[in-house]
Amino acid sequence: MKIVIQRVSEASVTIDGEKVASISKGFLILLGIVNEDTQEDIKWLTNKIVNLRVFGDENNVMNNALLDANGDVIVVSQFTLHASTKKGNRPSYIKAAKPDIAVPLYEDFVKQLEVDLGKQVQTGRFGADMKVKLINDGPVTIIIDSKNRE
């Protein structure tokens, strides 16, 4: 699993003109899934997300985690995170998991994140054409791949 975390002061997801998710302070997380991903990847990533210290403390130093900042989360599925651009100019998405594998893992990722945070996580809609708006706070953008743990 690969994620792109963007610390935001606000973010939203719109599908067919309908706003389906909206938060103020927190994380917008783009999630890419491959066939080899497992529940272990989910648990490792959600723990990392909840404890990632990228929010300002009383001295505006990045010492606080999402829980400390009482931040919210939107998770958006994004198979293009696993694009291969080695050959030619048209990306290949062959590494990205097909929906029969990706959808259950995506749903489990969201559920585990809700357990770890102790609150609801908002989402886009898997496979939909989504319009994502955000104000990246900082800017802070972090990429984490569960296959690169060491």
Side-chain angles (χ1 to χ4, degrees):
M1 273 181 192
K2 187 181 290 186
I3 59 173
V4 175
I5 297 175
Q6 295 182 314
R7 186 181 75 183
V8 299
S9 55
E10 62 183 73
S12 64
V13 177
T14 302
I15 301 171
D16 294 329
E18 175 191 355
K19 190 178 283 188
V20 298
S22 180
I23 63 168
S24 53
K25 178 177 60 177
F27 287 153
L28 172 69
I29 300 174
L30 306 175
L31 172 65
I33 300 170
V34 294
N35 290 329
E36 298 78 25
D37 288 330
T38 66
Q39 296 297 319
E40 185 178 321
D41 293 294
I42 291 171
K43 289 179 184 173
W44 185 83
L45 275 175
T46 58
N47 180 63
K48 187 65 84 171
I49 291 164
V50 169
N51 293 297
L52 195 63
R53 296 178 5 187
V54 295
F55 290 91
D57 63 13
E58 62 278 354
N59 297 313
N60 207 26
V61 176
M62 290 196 293
N63 277 326
N64 288 336
L66 187 61
L67 288 172
D68 302 322
N70 195 29
D72 291 313
V73 176
I74 297 176
V75 176
V76 174
S77 63
Q78 189 166 3
F79 72 93
T80 60
L81 290 180
H82 290 288
S84 174
T85 58
K86 289 183 181 181
K87 295 182 181 178
N89 293 316
R90 184 175 180 190
S92 169
Y93 305 108
I94 198 152
K95 291 182 184 178
K98 302 289 185 253
D100 60 320
I101 292 172
V103 170
L105 287 171
Y106 170 77
E107 292 171 350
D108 289 349
F109 178 89
V110 172
K111 287 177 190 169
Q112 184 63 51
L113 194 51
E114 288 178 333
V115 168
D116 292 352
L117 284 173
K119 63 177 160 179
Q120 184 178 1
V121 169
Q122 297 191 49
T123 65
R125 190 173 306 136
F126 191 94
D129 180 14
M130 296 175 270
K131 307 303 179 207
V132 179
K133 288 185 180 180
L134 69 132
I135 297 177
N136 190 317
D137 183 20
V140 174
T141 301
I142 297 173
I143 300 168
I144 305 174
D145 189 329
S146 65
K147 304 303 187 229
N148 295 329
R149 296 182 201 183
E150 296 174 26

